[in-house]
Amino acid sequence: MSPGLDVAANRSAVKYSLREQARRVAWSLAQPLFRWSPRPAFAWRALLLRLFGAQVGRGVHVYPSTRISMPWNLSVGDWSALGEEVLVYNLGPVSLGERVTVSLRAFLCAGTHDHTKAAFPLQRPPIAIGADAWVAAGALVGPGVTVGAGAVVAAGAVVVADVPPWTIVGGNPAREIGPRELTP
């Protein structure tokens, strides 16, 4: 039998540098400028994200209800979109290729804990979403996952393993449904 979690060790562990803590405070103070901006003010929100260290390409649409934990850990390629109420919990790096769509209430989770250690230490595995991929409404993409170029993560799917390029996955846990084929 396991001795249990060491909550004291977890809480006393340094999870963020002083610089990162200061950036988080500054970003939280800037949130009203982001969240209360008019819906079509995509260029304004892209500018705010860039000011906080995000790499944001041309023509990117990030909606005002999108929540981004750490902009400096975000990279978004040209013509991509983060839709309404998307949650980007990017303790680790999150990168989106060109023409990626992340739909309503999807959750990109680049933070977890090592459940095998008593101190339950924080981990920050990256998430990468390839060009032309679509993460549909309500889907969850877990820590350390790569969604290949052109792949589709179906609505409500829970993705805990890599998704091959040009594949459609769905379910919990997500399983391959079939290939994605584009028609002219």
Side-chain angles (χ1 to χ4, degrees):
M1 177 173 238
S2 177
L5 294 178
D6 188 347
V7 175
N10 178 275
R11 291 189 180 162
S12 66
V14 176
K15 296 175 179 77
Y16 306 102
S17 68
L18 288 175
R19 181 173 189 260
E20 202 165 40
Q21 289 176 35
R23 290 171 96 180
R24 291 184 80 177
V25 168
W27 176 238
S28 70
L29 294 172
Q31 284 298 298
L33 298 172
F34 188 93
R35 296 192 57 77
W36 296 343
S37 60
R39 191 171 195 257
F42 299 113
W44 167 251
R45 287 185 294 280
L47 173 65
L48 280 174
L49 289 169
R50 287 184 192 107
L51 289 173
F52 280 88
Q55 297 174 14
V56 181
R58 292 176 298 116
V60 169
H61 282 191
V62 178
Y63 288 81
S65 60
T66 299
R67 293 202 178 247
I68 298 164
S69 296
M70 298 180 172
W72 49 94
N73 285 340
L74 180 64
S75 173
V76 184
D78 295 344
W79 308 106
S80 290
L82 291 167
E84 295 285 354
E85 299 178 36
V86 167
L87 177 55
V88 182
Y89 188 61
N90 56 337
L91 302 185
V94 171
S95 65
L96 281 61
E98 295 181 351
R99 299 171 305 280
V100 169
T101 299
V102 181
S103 293
L104 174 76
R105 293 189 180 143
F107 181 21
L108 308 180
C109 183
T112 188
H113 295 271
D114 185 346
H115 68 278
T116 66
K117 295 193 166 71
F120 207 47
L122 181 67
Q123 296 181 321
R124 304 173 185 207
I127 291 174
I129 300 177
D132 301 306
W134 176 29
V135 178
L140 180 147
V141 177
V145 168
T146 297
V147 175
V152 174
V153 175
V158 176
V159 181
V160 294
D162 291 350
V163 177
W166 298 99
T167 300
I168 302 169
V169 298
N172 180 4
R175 292 184 182 91
E176 186 172 333
I177 295 171
R180 179 183 185 189
E181 298 172 4
L182 295 180
T183 57

